[in-house]
Amino acid sequence: MERIYNFSAGPAMLPQEVLEQARDELLNWHGCGMSVMEMTHRGKDFSAIIAQAEADLRELLNVPANYKVLFLQGGATMQFAQIPLNLLAGRSADYLVTGAWSKKAFKEANKVGTARLVASTESSGFTRLPSAAELEYGPDAAYLHLCTNETVHGVEIHDPAAFRTSVPIIADMSSHILSRPVDISQYGLIYGGAQKNVGPAGLTLVIVREDLLGRAPANLPTMLDYSIQAENGSMLNTPPTYSIYVAGLVFQWLKKQGGLAAMEQTNIAKAKLLYQTIDASSLYHNPVDPACRSRMNVPFTLNKPELDESFIAEAKKQGIVSIKGHKMVGGMRASIYNAMPLQGVQALVAFMQDFEQKNA
Ligand SMILES: *Cc1c(COP(=O)(O)O)cnc(C)c1O
């Protein structure tokens, strides 16, 4: 059977080479006679796997030495609470709301502490970023939280410097981490669920500057305390071993592709092709300000919504699946993460043009 092009927002496609390697190593990892799934996380084999994964991730993202890399669980959603629980220390924090995900993070932070809104673009349908004049930073914020790629609305912050303040910046990078180089030193903490652009679900990446550790109140549950997780090498309890292993294979695959600078070039080419096709058409429409259109998640609507169902059905016949948009936005959404090859976007674009012609 042929592999299809899966445009799902997450869990999403993984590189075929990674899946093949995982298959080849499934029953007997490196001659040890068992699967990674069956190994103790305290043994030398798994210790080597997690150490290599961390080293490769540090190399790819050029993580400075004064940052800890944590392999956690609970998804990015758990971080919405874990971040304020660890970092507020009785103060409030500033939240920028530019889409569905940062709105959720803001709401959750207010559940466990006090979060202030810096700006929200909700009244313009989350189709743009706020201008400098709209930003109202709080006087004593413990940090500024933002989402650098809004997966549902397709809004990406291409220039984080526009939101630089004197306080640590905390960024939800779930849906574009590893899609481009990032200057980690500009952030206090970055995080993301793995299932979009990193590996299988069940693993959450947190990269945190060391001076932000140790601020948690004494009654914070042990599992939620970043300092304790860091002291224990993310192995306070059983970590998601198989997800860490596959993520490690993805890191090695990324290095083979030439690292994040090379991935960025491919991702720019893929996104450009898709947006050009949308903009040149009279059937498809993307509402996002071109200055902040996402390279990873491309929502678009059909000017004749009565064609939505046949678009999805015809696409499926061409091996193009999971293209239906999020219910909040409607229409379609093509998620084109690292593992989506240029050929997949070319196939989508060819289908879209053909579909438009047939339905003119
Ligand atoms: C998917 C997503 C989340 C939620 O991730 P989980 O790992 O499912 O909790 C949060 N933020 C962004 C930007 C996302 O894309």
Side-chain angles (χ1 to χ4, degrees), residues 312-360:
I312 291 163
E314 292 301 316
K316 194 172 176 197
K317 288 185 197 158
Q318 305 296 317
I320 292 166
V321 306
S322 298
I323 191 85
K324 191 174 183 245
H326 193 284
K327 58 185 182 304
M328 257 186 260
V329 176
M332 309 298 148
R333 171 175 53 173
S335 295
I336 50 175
Y337 301 122
N338 284 340
M340 174 62 69
L342 178 61
Q343 294 89 306
V345 179
Q346 286 166 338
L348 172 62
V349 159
F351 164 73
M352 287 168 70
Q353 288 167 337
D354 184 56
F355 184 87
E356 178 166 7
Q357 226 162 35
K358 285 184 179 146
N359 291 280

Side-chain angles (χ1 to χ4, degrees), residues 257-289:
Q257 308 306 304
L260 301 192
M263 287 319 298
E264 178 174 40
Q265 291 315 309
T266 312
N267 287 326
I268 288 173
K270 281 152 48 185
K272 199 169 156 188
L273 176 61
L274 186 46
Y275 284 115
Q276 274 174 353
T277 304
I278 292 167
D279 291 343
S281 113
S282 49
L283 179 61
Y284 309 113
H285 175 68
N286 170 281
V288 178
D289 174 358

Side-chain angles (χ1 to χ4, degrees), residues 9 74-78 80 101-102 147 149-152 172-175 191-196 203-204 297 337:
T77 305
M78 176 67 92
F80 294 168
W101 288 112
S102 50
C147 175
N149 188 63
E150 286 284 359
T151 321
V152 173
D172 178 356
M173 296 194 177
S174 294
S175 51
Y191 68 100
Q195 68 277 14
K196 274 91 184 227
L203 167 66
T204 312
N297 309 97
Y337 301 122

Side-chain angles (χ1 to χ4, degrees), residues 18-286:
V18 165
L19 294 173
E20 285 165 351
Q21 190 178 344
R23 176 200 60 199
D24 293 345
E25 297 177 344
L26 182 66
L27 294 182
N28 183 358
W29 182 81
H30 293 202
C32 78
M34 64 173 124
S35 166
V36 173
M37 268 184 262
E38 303 167 296
M39 280 177 192
T40 168
H41 58 294
R42 308 281 179 204
K44 72 171 180 10
D45 287 336
F46 188 74
S47 298
I49 288 171
I50 195 171
Q52 189 63 49
E54 177 172 342
D56 288 336
L57 180 62
R58 282 183 176 274
E59 184 182 328
L60 283 165
L61 278 170
N62 204 6
V63 178
N66 62 325
Y67 284 72
K68 294 284 190 214
V69 171
L70 305 179
F71 295 110
L72 304 180
Q73 299 186 61
T77 305
M78 176 67 92
Q79 293 308 308
F80 294 168
Q82 199 168 346
I83 287 160
L85 284 169
N86 275 271
L87 303 181
L88 280 182
R91 287 152 73 189
S92 76
D94 280 354
Y95 277 71
L96 187 66
V97 172
T98 55
W101 288 112
S102 50
K103 189 180 170 183
K104 279 195 181 176
F106 173 61
K107 201 172 162 200
E108 189 74 0
N110 261 316
K111 218 171 162 179
V112 301
T114 312
R116 268 191 73 260
L117 196 60
V118 170
S120 168
T121 53
E122 187 163 17
S123 60
S124 25
F126 292 133
T127 56
R128 63 182 186 89
L129 289 173
S131 67
E134 291 172 87
L135 304 173
E136 289 176 35
Y137 293 113
D140 181 36
Y143 58 83
L144 167 69
H145 180 281
L146 44 80
C147 175
T148 44
N149 188 63
E150 286 284 359
T151 321
V152 173
H153 290 89
V155 173
E156 186 166 2
I157 297 178
H158 295 293
D159 176 21
F163 304 103
R164 198 162 294 155
T165 67
S166 54
V167 303
I169 298 177
I170 311 295
D172 178 356
M173 296 194 177
S174 294
S175 51
H176 78 161
I177 190 168
L178 300 176
S179 70
R180 59 196 292 167
V182 182
D183 181 358
I184 300 288
S185 73
Q186 300 301 321
Y187 298 91
L189 181 154
I190 70 167
Y191 68 100
Q195 68 277 14
K196 274 91 184 227
N197 210 20
V198 176
L203 167 66
T204 312
L205 294 179
V206 171
I207 302 178
V208 56
R209 211 172 61 209
E210 282 167 355
D211 64 281
L212 294 174
L213 299 174
R215 299 187 181 191
N219 67 351
L220 187 67
T222 312
M223 272 298 284
L224 296 180
D225 191 318
Y226 291 138
S227 322
I228 298 174
Q229 288 286 3
E231 279 160 22
N232 286 276
S234 306
M235 291 212 259
L236 180 62
N237 72 332
T238 316
T241 50
Y242 200 74
S243 295
I244 292 169
Y245 156 72
V246 178
L249 298 184
V250 172
F251 301 154
Q252 282 167 22
W253 178 81
L254 287 169
K255 282 170 63 177
K256 262 187 246 149
Q257 308 306 304
L260 301 192
M263 287 319 298
E264 178 174 40
Q265 291 315 309
T266 312
N267 287 326
I268 288 173
K270 281 152 48 185
K272 199 169 156 188
L273 176 61
L274 186 46
Y275 284 115
Q276 274 174 353
T277 304
I278 292 167
D279 291 343
S281 113
S282 49
L283 179 61
Y284 309 113
H285 175 68
N286 170 281

